Amino acid sequence: MENIESGGLLPRFTLKWFSICFTLSILIAWILRQAVMESLWAQAMIATLLSIATLFAISAILFLTIWIPSALANLGTRYEQRSAATPPNEDLEVRS
């Protein structure tokens, strides 16, 4: 993403991204307030947002369930395969 720079430990966000996130959080807080005041449309909107967040969390958990064992199993194989497959001088050759 061009608006998020990761030069240091934490990413630096632009004012545009900060204002978008701030506006969305205000909108969600207002909908939550309306839902507490027993507005039917707001309760439906909160239920929809919670179901989307739940599905996203389930997808992330399922992805990590598959990715972590795969990453741990292949932890050292990439470097070993690369160093065994190519001689050290072949990386420096330029083909024309």
Side-chain angles (χ1 to χ4, degrees):
M1 298 177 99
E2 62 186 47
N3 291 332
I4 300 174
E5 300 175 9
S6 61
L9 183 61
L10 297 174
R12 292 180 283 171
F13 293 93
T14 61
L15 183 61
K16 175 180 147 181
W17 278 104
F18 176 75
S19 59
I20 288 171
C21 292
F22 186 71
T23 304
L24 287 176
S25 65
I26 289 174
L27 182 64
I28 290 172
W30 178 73
I31 292 172
L32 185 61
R33 178 178 173 241
Q34 293 295 322
V36 168
M37 295 173 57
E38 298 181 2
S39 176
L40 188 59
W41 69 269
Q43 290 174 354
M45 182 69 75
I46 291 296
T48 302
L49 290 175
L50 285 177
S51 65
I52 290 172
T54 302
L55 290 174
F56 180 76
I58 290 171
S59 298
I61 289 170
L62 289 175
F63 171 77
L64 289 175
T65 302
I66 299 299
W67 182 76
I68 289 174
S70 174
L72 290 176
N74 297 327
L75 193 59
T77 58
R78 288 185 187 160
Y79 180 73
E80 292 169 0
Q81 287 176 353
R82 181 174 176 242
S83 63
T86 59
N89 294 334
E90 190 174 320
D91 291 338
L92 301 175
E93 290 182 14
V94 178
R95 298 180 184 181
S96 53

